[in-house]
PDB file of all heavy atoms in Angstrom:
ATOM      1  N   ARG A   1      18.284  48.921 -20.558  1.00  0.00           N
ATOM      2  CA  ARG A   1      19.508  49.090 -19.754  1.00  0.00           C
ATOM      3  C   ARG A   1      19.493  50.433 -19.042  1.00  0.00           C
ATOM      4  O   ARG A   1      19.923  50.547 -17.890  1.00  0.00           O
ATOM      5  CB  ARG A   1      20.755  49.003 -20.643  1.00  0.00           C
ATOM      6  CG  ARG A   1      20.895  47.707 -21.392  1.00  0.00           C
ATOM      7  CD  ARG A   1      21.373  46.598 -20.506  1.00  0.00           C
ATOM      8  NE  ARG A   1      21.611  45.399 -21.295  1.00  0.00           N
ATOM      9  CZ  ARG A   1      22.231  44.337 -20.826  1.00  0.00           C
ATOM     10  NH1 ARG A   1      22.674  44.314 -19.594  1.00  0.00           N
ATOM     11  NH2 ARG A   1      22.396  43.281 -21.590  1.00  0.00           N
ATOM     12  N   VAL A   2      19.005  51.459 -19.721  1.00  0.00           N
ATOM     13  CA  VAL A   2      18.915  52.790 -19.115  1.00  0.00           C
ATOM     14  C   VAL A   2      17.943  52.759 -17.938  1.00  0.00           C
ATOM     15  O   VAL A   2      18.235  53.293 -16.856  1.00  0.00           O
ATOM     16  CB  VAL A   2      18.483  53.844 -20.162  1.00  0.00           C
ATOM     17  CG1 VAL A   2      18.245  55.194 -19.512  1.00  0.00           C
ATOM     18  CG2 VAL A   2      19.538  53.947 -21.271  1.00  0.00           C
ATOM     19  N   ALA A   3      16.799  52.121 -18.123  1.00  0.00           N
ATOM     20  CA  ALA A   3      15.809  52.031 -17.044  1.00  0.00           C
ATOM     21  C   ALA A   3      16.372  51.251 -15.847  1.00  0.00           C
ATOM     22  O   ALA A   3      16.154  51.639 -14.690  1.00  0.00           O
ATOM     23  CB  ALA A   3      14.537  51.369 -17.564  1.00  0.00           C
ATOM     24  N   GLU A   4      17.087  50.177 -16.132  1.00  0.00           N
ATOM     25  CA  GLU A   4      17.695  49.378 -15.068  1.00  0.00           C
ATOM     26  C   GLU A   4      18.706  50.213 -14.281  1.00  0.00           C
ATOM     27  O   GLU A   4      18.732  50.175 -13.043  1.00  0.00           O
ATOM     28  CB  GLU A   4      18.370  48.158 -15.682  1.00  0.00           C
ATOM     29  CG  GLU A   4      19.017  47.233 -14.681  1.00  0.00           C
ATOM     30  CD  GLU A   4      19.649  46.032 -15.362  1.00  0.00           C
ATOM     31  OE1 GLU A   4      20.354  46.209 -16.388  1.00  0.00           O
ATOM     32  OE2 GLU A   4      19.426  44.925 -14.874  1.00  0.00           O
ATOM     33  N   LEU A   5      19.526  50.984 -14.994  1.00  0.00           N
ATOM     34  CA  LEU A   5      20.496  51.855 -14.328  1.00  0.00           C
ATOM     35  C   LEU A   5      19.788  52.914 -13.489  1.00  0.00           C
ATOM     36  O   LEU A   5      20.173  53.172 -12.346  1.00  0.00           O
ATOM     37  CB  LEU A   5      21.420  52.514 -15.348  1.00  0.00           C
ATOM     38  CG  LEU A   5      22.425  53.518 -14.778  1.00  0.00           C
ATOM     39  CD1 LEU A   5      23.332  52.864 -13.741  1.00  0.00           C
ATOM     40  CD2 LEU A   5      23.230  54.154 -15.892  1.00  0.00           C
ATOM     41  N   ALA A   6      18.739  53.511 -14.023  1.00  0.00           N
ATOM     42  CA  ALA A   6      17.994  54.532 -13.276  1.00  0.00           C
ATOM     43  C   ALA A   6      17.424  53.956 -11.984  1.00  0.00           C
ATOM     44  O   ALA A   6      17.494  54.588 -10.922  1.00  0.00           O
ATOM     45  CB  ALA A   6      16.887  55.113 -14.151  1.00  0.00           C
ATOM     46  N   ASP A   7      16.888  52.748 -12.064  1.00  0.00           N
ATOM     47  CA  ASP A   7      16.348  52.097 -10.863  1.00  0.00           C
ATOM     48  C   ASP A   7      17.441  51.850  -9.825  1.00  0.00           C
ATOM     49  O   ASP A   7      17.249  52.095  -8.633  1.00  0.00           O
ATOM     50  CB  ASP A   7      15.680  50.766 -11.223  1.00  0.00           C
ATOM     51  CG  ASP A   7      14.367  50.933 -11.969  1.00  0.00           C
ATOM     52  OD1 ASP A   7      13.830  52.066 -12.000  1.00  0.00           O
ATOM     53  OD2 ASP A   7      13.890  49.941 -12.548  1.00  0.00           O
ATOM     54  N   THR A   8      18.578  51.363 -10.298  1.00  0.00           N
ATOM     55  CA  THR A   8      19.703  51.100  -9.392  1.00  0.00           C
ATOM     56  C   THR A   8      20.170  52.390  -8.726  1.00  0.00           C
ATOM     57  O   THR A   8      20.390  52.428  -7.508  1.00  0.00           O
ATOM     58  CB  THR A   8      20.874  50.458 -10.164  1.00  0.00           C
ATOM     59  OG1 THR A   8      20.435  49.226 -10.723  1.00  0.00           O
ATOM     60  CG2 THR A   8      22.075  50.220  -9.266  1.00  0.00           C
ATOM     61  N   LEU A   9      20.299  53.445  -9.509  1.00  0.00           N
ATOM     62  CA  LEU A   9      20.767  54.718  -8.955  1.00  0.00           C
ATOM     63  C   LEU A   9      19.780  55.289  -7.947  1.00  0.00           C
ATOM     64  O   LEU A   9      20.180  55.811  -6.905  1.00  0.00           O
ATOM     65  CB  LEU A   9      21.046  55.714 -10.078  1.00  0.00           C
ATOM     66  CG  LEU A   9      22.263  55.387 -10.948  1.00  0.00           C
ATOM     67  CD1 LEU A   9      22.320  56.313 -12.146  1.00  0.00           C
ATOM     68  CD2 LEU A   9      23.550  55.454 -10.137  1.00  0.00           C
ATOM     69  N   GLU A  10      18.494  55.164  -8.231  1.00  0.00           N
ATOM     70  CA  GLU A  10      17.491  55.674  -7.294  1.00  0.00           C
ATOM     71  C   GLU A  10      17.514  54.897  -5.979  1.00  0.00           C
ATOM     72  O   GLU A  10      17.251  55.451  -4.920  1.00  0.00           O
ATOM     73  CB  GLU A  10      16.098  55.656  -7.922  1.00  0.00           C
ATOM     74  CG  GLU A  10      15.873  56.796  -8.879  1.00  0.00           C
ATOM     75  CD  GLU A  10      16.185  58.174  -8.283  1.00  0.00           C
ATOM     76  OE1 GLU A  10      15.700  58.493  -7.174  1.00  0.00           O
ATOM     77  OE2 GLU A  10      16.931  58.930  -8.926  1.00  0.00           O
ATOM     78  N   THR A  11      17.836  53.619  -6.057  1.00  0.00           N
ATOM     79  CA  THR A  11      17.958  52.807  -4.844  1.00  0.00           C
ATOM     80  C   THR A  11      19.147  53.270  -4.003  1.00  0.00           C
ATOM     81  O   THR A  11      19.088  53.265  -2.774  1.00  0.00           O
ATOM     82  CB  THR A  11      18.132  51.313  -5.218  1.00  0.00           C
ATOM     83  OG1 THR A  11      16.995  50.900  -5.973  1.00  0.00           O
ATOM     84  CG2 THR A  11      18.270  50.437  -3.999  1.00  0.00           C
ATOM     85  N   LEU A  12      20.221  53.669  -4.671  1.00  0.00           N
ATOM     86  CA  LEU A  12      21.434  54.095  -3.968  1.00  0.00           C
ATOM     87  C   LEU A  12      21.369  55.533  -3.455  1.00  0.00           C
ATOM     88  O   LEU A  12      22.038  55.876  -2.482  1.00  0.00           O
ATOM     89  CB  LEU A  12      22.643  53.954  -4.900  1.00  0.00           C
ATOM     90  CG  LEU A  12      23.004  52.536  -5.308  1.00  0.00           C
ATOM     91  CD1 LEU A  12      24.098  52.562  -6.364  1.00  0.00           C
ATOM     92  CD2 LEU A  12      23.439  51.725  -4.098  1.00  0.00           C
ATOM     93  N   ARG A  13      20.574  56.370  -4.096  1.00  0.00           N
ATOM     94  CA  ARG A  13      20.552  57.805  -3.798  1.00  0.00           C
ATOM     95  C   ARG A  13      20.414  58.133  -2.308  1.00  0.00           C
ATOM     96  O   ARG A  13      21.183  58.945  -1.772  1.00  0.00           O
ATOM     97  CB  ARG A  13      19.462  58.510  -4.589  1.00  0.00           C
ATOM     98  CG  ARG A  13      19.392  60.006  -4.314  1.00  0.00           C
ATOM     99  CD  ARG A  13      18.188  60.652  -4.976  1.00  0.00           C
ATOM    100  NE  ARG A  13      18.306  60.727  -6.411  1.00  0.00           N
ATOM    101  CZ  ARG A  13      18.910  61.710  -7.077  1.00  0.00           C
ATOM    102  NH1 ARG A  13      19.476  62.696  -6.433  1.00  0.00           N
ATOM    103  NH2 ARG A  13      18.947  61.691  -8.399  1.00  0.00           N
ATOM    104  N   PRO A  14      19.488  57.533  -1.577  1.00  0.00           N
ATOM    105  CA  PRO A  14      19.326  57.928  -0.179  1.00  0.00           C
ATOM    106  C   PRO A  14      20.500  57.542   0.724  1.00  0.00           C
ATOM    107  O   PRO A  14      20.602  58.021   1.849  1.00  0.00           O
ATOM    108  CB  PRO A  14      18.060  57.200   0.282  1.00  0.00           C
ATOM    109  CG  PRO A  14      17.523  56.459  -0.872  1.00  0.00           C
ATOM    110  CD  PRO A  14      18.481  56.573  -2.003  1.00  0.00           C
ATOM    111  N   HIS A  15      21.382  56.699   0.238  1.00  0.00           N
ATOM    112  CA  HIS A  15      22.467  56.180   1.059  1.00  0.00           C
ATOM    113  C   HIS A  15      23.816  56.835   0.769  1.00  0.00           C
ATOM    114  O   HIS A  15      24.835  56.394   1.310  1.00  0.00           O
ATOM    115  CB  HIS A  15      22.581  54.662   0.859  1.00  0.00           C
ATOM    116  CG  HIS A  15      21.296  53.952   1.066  1.00  0.00           C
ATOM    117  ND1 HIS A  15      20.737  53.753   2.313  1.00  0.00           N
ATOM    118  CD2 HIS A  15      20.411  53.424   0.178  1.00  0.00           C
ATOM    119  CE1 HIS A  15      19.585  53.129   2.189  1.00  0.00           C
ATOM    120  NE2 HIS A  15      19.363  52.913   0.900  1.00  0.00           N
ATOM    121  N   MET A  16      23.813  57.860  -0.074  1.00  0.00           N
ATOM    122  CA  MET A  16      25.078  58.482  -0.476  1.00  0.00           C
ATOM    123  C   MET A  16      24.993  59.994  -0.374  1.00  0.00           C
ATOM    124  O   MET A  16      23.939  60.569  -0.641  1.00  0.00           O
ATOM    125  CB  MET A  16      25.418  58.121  -1.930  1.00  0.00           C
ATOM    126  CG  MET A  16      25.529  56.659  -2.214  1.00  0.00           C
ATOM    127  SD  MET A  16      25.908  56.371  -3.950  1.00  0.00           S
ATOM    128  CE  MET A  16      27.673  56.437  -3.878  1.00  0.00           C
ATOM    129  N   PRO A  17      26.115  60.632  -0.053  1.00  0.00           N
ATOM    130  CA  PRO A  17      26.142  62.097  -0.139  1.00  0.00           C
ATOM    131  C   PRO A  17      25.932  62.519  -1.597  1.00  0.00           C
ATOM    132  O   PRO A  17      26.305  61.804  -2.521  1.00  0.00           O
ATOM    133  CB  PRO A  17      27.549  62.467   0.328  1.00  0.00           C
ATOM    134  CG  PRO A  17      28.090  61.246   1.001  1.00  0.00           C
ATOM    135  CD  PRO A  17      27.364  60.076   0.436  1.00  0.00           C
ATOM    136  N   GLU A  18      25.348  63.688  -1.810  1.00  0.00           N
ATOM    137  CA  GLU A  18      24.988  64.141  -3.156  1.00  0.00           C
ATOM    138  C   GLU A  18      26.194  64.234  -4.089  1.00  0.00           C
ATOM    139  O   GLU A  18      26.107  63.850  -5.252  1.00  0.00           O
ATOM    140  CB  GLU A  18      24.263  65.484  -3.088  1.00  0.00           C
ATOM    141  CG  GLU A  18      23.639  65.911  -4.396  1.00  0.00           C
ATOM    142  CD  GLU A  18      22.629  64.908  -4.961  1.00  0.00           C
ATOM    143  OE1 GLU A  18      21.883  64.287  -4.191  1.00  0.00           O
ATOM    144  OE2 GLU A  18      22.601  64.736  -6.203  1.00  0.00           O
ATOM    145  N   ASP A  19      27.334  64.716  -3.590  1.00  0.00           N
ATOM    146  CA  ASP A  19      28.507  64.841  -4.461  1.00  0.00           C
ATOM    147  C   ASP A  19      29.017  63.469  -4.903  1.00  0.00           C
ATOM    148  O   ASP A  19      29.373  63.262  -6.059  1.00  0.00           O
ATOM    149  CB  ASP A  19      29.615  65.657  -3.801  1.00  0.00           C
ATOM    150  CG  ASP A  19      30.092  65.085  -2.476  1.00  0.00           C
ATOM    151  OD1 ASP A  19      29.346  64.311  -1.840  1.00  0.00           O
ATOM    152  OD2 ASP A  19      31.219  65.437  -2.060  1.00  0.00           O
ATOM    153  N   MET A  20      29.002  62.500  -4.005  1.00  0.00           N
ATOM    154  CA  MET A  20      29.433  61.146  -4.352  1.00  0.00           C
ATOM    155  C   MET A  20      28.430  60.503  -5.324  1.00  0.00           C
ATOM    156  O   MET A  20      28.826  59.827  -6.275  1.00  0.00           O
ATOM    157  CB  MET A  20      29.548  60.278  -3.096  1.00  0.00           C
ATOM    158  CG  MET A  20      30.100  58.890  -3.359  1.00  0.00           C
ATOM    159  SD  MET A  20      30.118  57.831  -1.892  1.00  0.00           S
ATOM    160  CE  MET A  20      31.358  58.656  -0.923  1.00  0.00           C
ATOM    161  N   PHE A  21      27.155  60.744  -5.092  1.00  0.00           N
ATOM    162  CA  PHE A  21      26.128  60.205  -5.974  1.00  0.00           C
ATOM    163  C   PHE A  21      26.270  60.770  -7.381  1.00  0.00           C
ATOM    164  O   PHE A  21      26.129  60.056  -8.366  1.00  0.00           O
ATOM    165  CB  PHE A  21      24.731  60.515  -5.417  1.00  0.00           C
ATOM    166  CG  PHE A  21      23.624  59.990  -6.270  1.00  0.00           C
ATOM    167  CD1 PHE A  21      23.299  58.641  -6.248  1.00  0.00           C
ATOM    168  CD2 PHE A  21      22.915  60.831  -7.111  1.00  0.00           C
ATOM    169  CE1 PHE A  21      22.282  58.146  -7.057  1.00  0.00           C
ATOM    170  CE2 PHE A  21      21.900  60.350  -7.914  1.00  0.00           C
ATOM    171  CZ  PHE A  21      21.583  58.998  -7.883  1.00  0.00           C
ATOM    172  N   SER A  22      26.588  62.041  -7.481  1.00  0.00           N
ATOM    173  CA  SER A  22      26.765  62.683  -8.783  1.00  0.00           C
ATOM    174  C   SER A  22      27.927  62.056  -9.559  1.00  0.00           C
ATOM    175  O   SER A  22      27.815  61.787 -10.761  1.00  0.00           O
ATOM    176  CB  SER A  22      27.000  64.178  -8.586  1.00  0.00           C
ATOM    177  OG  SER A  22      27.233  64.802  -9.811  1.00  0.00           O
ATOM    178  N   VAL A  23      29.042  61.816  -8.876  1.00  0.00           N
ATOM    179  CA  VAL A  23      30.209  61.198  -9.518  1.00  0.00           C
ATOM    180  C   VAL A  23      29.871  59.773  -9.961  1.00  0.00           C
ATOM    181  O   VAL A  23      30.194  59.361 -11.075  1.00  0.00           O
ATOM    182  CB  VAL A  23      31.428  61.208  -8.564  1.00  0.00           C
ATOM    183  CG1 VAL A  23      32.560  60.353  -9.099  1.00  0.00           C
ATOM    184  CG2 VAL A  23      31.896  62.629  -8.321  1.00  0.00           C
ATOM    185  N   LEU A  24      29.198  59.015  -9.087  1.00  0.00           N
ATOM    186  CA  LEU A  24      28.810  57.647  -9.431  1.00  0.00           C
ATOM    187  C   LEU A  24      27.874  57.630 -10.636  1.00  0.00           C
ATOM    188  O   LEU A  24      28.047  56.831 -11.553  1.00  0.00           O
ATOM    189  CB  LEU A  24      28.125  56.972  -8.236  1.00  0.00           C
ATOM    190  CG  LEU A  24      27.575  55.570  -8.518  1.00  0.00           C
ATOM    191  CD1 LEU A  24      28.708  54.580  -8.770  1.00  0.00           C
ATOM    192  CD2 LEU A  24      26.692  55.108  -7.374  1.00  0.00           C
ATOM    193  N   THR A  25      26.901  58.525 -10.651  1.00  0.00           N
ATOM    194  CA  THR A  25      25.945  58.596 -11.761  1.00  0.00           C
ATOM    195  C   THR A  25      26.656  58.869 -13.075  1.00  0.00           C
ATOM    196  O   THR A  25      26.419  58.203 -14.083  1.00  0.00           O
ATOM    197  CB  THR A  25      24.885  59.676 -11.486  1.00  0.00           C
ATOM    198  OG1 THR A  25      24.175  59.332 -10.291  1.00  0.00           O
ATOM    199  CG2 THR A  25      23.909  59.809 -12.635  1.00  0.00           C
ATOM    200  N   SER A  26      27.554  59.830 -13.068  1.00  0.00           N
ATOM    201  CA  SER A  26      28.303  60.170 -14.276  1.00  0.00           C
ATOM    202  C   SER A  26      29.123  58.979 -14.768  1.00  0.00           C
ATOM    203  O   SER A  26      29.130  58.659 -15.967  1.00  0.00           O
ATOM    204  CB  SER A  26      29.209  61.362 -13.996  1.00  0.00           C
ATOM    205  OG  SER A  26      29.966  61.675 -15.127  1.00  0.00           O
ATOM    206  N   ALA A  27      29.807  58.297 -13.855  1.00  0.00           N
ATOM    207  CA  ALA A  27      30.633  57.144 -14.232  1.00  0.00           C
ATOM    208  C   ALA A  27      29.777  56.009 -14.788  1.00  0.00           C
ATOM    209  O   ALA A  27      30.146  55.370 -15.785  1.00  0.00           O
ATOM    210  CB  ALA A  27      31.435  56.655 -13.028  1.00  0.00           C
ATOM    211  N   LYS A  28      28.645  55.764 -14.169  1.00  0.00           N
ATOM    212  CA  LYS A  28      27.766  54.680 -14.630  1.00  0.00           C
ATOM    213  C   LYS A  28      27.176  54.990 -16.009  1.00  0.00           C
ATOM    214  O   LYS A  28      27.053  54.099 -16.848  1.00  0.00           O
ATOM    215  CB  LYS A  28      26.635  54.448 -13.620  1.00  0.00           C
ATOM    216  CG  LYS A  28      27.092  53.836 -12.323  1.00  0.00           C
ATOM    217  CD  LYS A  28      27.437  52.388 -12.535  1.00  0.00           C
ATOM    218  CE  LYS A  28      27.593  51.658 -11.230  1.00  0.00           C
ATOM    219  NZ  LYS A  28      27.912  50.251 -11.425  1.00  0.00           N
ATOM    220  N   ILE A  29      26.820  56.238 -16.252  1.00  0.00           N
ATOM    221  CA  ILE A  29      26.271  56.620 -17.559  1.00  0.00           C
ATOM    222  C   ILE A  29      27.339  56.478 -18.641  1.00  0.00           C
ATOM    223  O   ILE A  29      27.079  55.954 -19.722  1.00  0.00           O
ATOM    224  CB  ILE A  29      25.691  58.047 -17.514  1.00  0.00           C
ATOM    225  CG1 ILE A  29      24.412  58.042 -16.661  1.00  0.00           C
ATOM    226  CG2 ILE A  29      25.410  58.575 -18.918  1.00  0.00           C
ATOM    227  CD1 ILE A  29      23.881  59.425 -16.326  1.00  0.00           C
ATOM    228  N   THR A  30      28.552  56.926 -18.346  1.00  0.00           N
ATOM    229  CA  THR A  30      29.651  56.779 -19.303  1.00  0.00           C
ATOM    230  C   THR A  30      29.898  55.303 -19.612  1.00  0.00           C
ATOM    231  O   THR A  30      30.028  54.915 -20.779  1.00  0.00           O
ATOM    232  CB  THR A  30      30.935  57.429 -18.751  1.00  0.00           C
ATOM    233  OG1 THR A  30      30.705  58.829 -18.595  1.00  0.00           O
ATOM    234  CG2 THR A  30      32.115  57.212 -19.688  1.00  0.00           C
ATOM    235  N   THR A  31      29.939  54.473 -18.576  1.00  0.00           N
ATOM    236  CA  THR A  31      30.155  53.038 -18.770  1.00  0.00           C
ATOM    237  C   THR A  31      29.053  52.428 -19.620  1.00  0.00           C
ATOM    238  O   THR A  31      29.324  51.607 -20.506  1.00  0.00           O
ATOM    239  CB  THR A  31      30.247  52.325 -17.408  1.00  0.00           C
ATOM    240  OG1 THR A  31      31.331  52.885 -16.671  1.00  0.00           O
ATOM    241  CG2 THR A  31      30.459  50.831 -17.576  1.00  0.00           C
ATOM    242  N   LEU A  32      27.822  52.831 -19.395  1.00  0.00           N
ATOM    243  CA  LEU A  32      26.704  52.305 -20.176  1.00  0.00           C
ATOM    244  C   LEU A  32      26.848  52.663 -21.657  1.00  0.00           C
ATOM    245  O   LEU A  32      26.640  51.827 -22.536  1.00  0.00           O
ATOM    246  CB  LEU A  32      25.387  52.835 -19.617  1.00  0.00           C
ATOM    247  CG  LEU A  32      24.109  52.181 -20.129  1.00  0.00           C
ATOM    248  CD1 LEU A  32      24.093  50.689 -19.811  1.00  0.00           C
ATOM    249  CD2 LEU A  32      22.899  52.858 -19.514  1.00  0.00           C
ATOM    250  N   HIS A  33      27.262  53.890 -21.942  1.00  0.00           N
ATOM    251  CA  HIS A  33      27.476  54.304 -23.336  1.00  0.00           C
ATOM    252  C   HIS A  33      28.618  53.514 -23.972  1.00  0.00           C
ATOM    253  O   HIS A  33      28.501  53.049 -25.112  1.00  0.00           O
ATOM    254  CB  HIS A  33      27.777  55.803 -23.413  1.00  0.00           C
ATOM    255  CG  HIS A  33      26.566  56.648 -23.426  1.00  0.00           C
ATOM    256  ND1 HIS A  33      25.865  56.946 -24.571  1.00  0.00           N
ATOM    257  CD2 HIS A  33      25.900  57.263 -22.418  1.00  0.00           C
ATOM    258  CE1 HIS A  33      24.836  57.701 -24.288  1.00  0.00           C
ATOM    259  NE2 HIS A  33      24.828  57.913 -22.971  1.00  0.00           N
ATOM    260  N   VAL A  34      29.719  53.347 -23.249  1.00  0.00           N
ATOM    261  CA  VAL A  34      30.869  52.623 -23.793  1.00  0.00           C
ATOM    262  C   VAL A  34      30.502  51.153 -24.029  1.00  0.00           C
ATOM    263  O   VAL A  34      30.870  50.573 -25.055  1.00  0.00           O
ATOM    264  CB  VAL A  34      32.103  52.772 -22.882  1.00  0.00           C
ATOM    265  CG1 VAL A  34      33.238  51.855 -23.319  1.00  0.00           C
ATOM    266  CG2 VAL A  34      32.573  54.226 -22.874  1.00  0.00           C
ATOM    267  N   ARG A  35      29.748  50.565 -23.127  1.00  0.00           N
ATOM    268  CA  ARG A  35      29.309  49.179 -23.331  1.00  0.00           C
ATOM    269  C   ARG A  35      28.464  49.062 -24.597  1.00  0.00           C
ATOM    270  O   ARG A  35      28.608  48.116 -25.369  1.00  0.00           O
ATOM    271  CB  ARG A  35      28.503  48.689 -22.136  1.00  0.00           C
ATOM    272  CG  ARG A  35      29.344  48.318 -20.972  1.00  0.00           C
ATOM    273  CD  ARG A  35      28.497  47.804 -19.834  1.00  0.00           C
ATOM    274  NE  ARG A  35      29.339  47.225 -18.812  1.00  0.00           N
ATOM    275  CZ  ARG A  35      28.892  46.715 -17.694  1.00  0.00           C
ATOM    276  NH1 ARG A  35      27.603  46.700 -17.440  1.00  0.00           N
ATOM    277  NH2 ARG A  35      29.723  46.207 -16.818  1.00  0.00           N
ATOM    278  N   ALA A  36      27.571  50.013 -24.801  1.00  0.00           N
ATOM    279  CA  ALA A  36      26.725  49.995 -25.997  1.00  0.00           C
ATOM    280  C   ALA A  36      27.580  50.110 -27.261  1.00  0.00           C
ATOM    281  O   ALA A  36      27.357  49.391 -28.242  1.00  0.00           O
ATOM    282  CB  ALA A  36      25.697  51.122 -25.937  1.00  0.00           C
TER     283      ALA A  36
END
């Protein structure tokens, strides 16, 4: 699941401003932990 999230985030990275990408990354990591 972590690898899948990393792949998804890397796909999105070039299409987002860095500050927005940082917020999205943090939210996705938190969600992944809560799901686990």
Side-chain angles (χ1 to χ4, degrees):
R1 301 283 185 169
V2 174
E4 181 179 46
L5 176 59
D7 289 347
T8 299
L9 290 171
E10 282 307 310
T11 301
L12 294 173
R13 180 187 289 274
H15 307 287
M16 302 179 88
E18 190 58 37
D19 58 338
M20 185 184 292
F21 180 77
S22 177
V23 169
L24 175 67
T25 299
S26 178
K28 290 287 193 179
I29 290 169
T30 297
T31 301
L32 192 60
H33 276 275
V34 171
R35 282 182 170 179

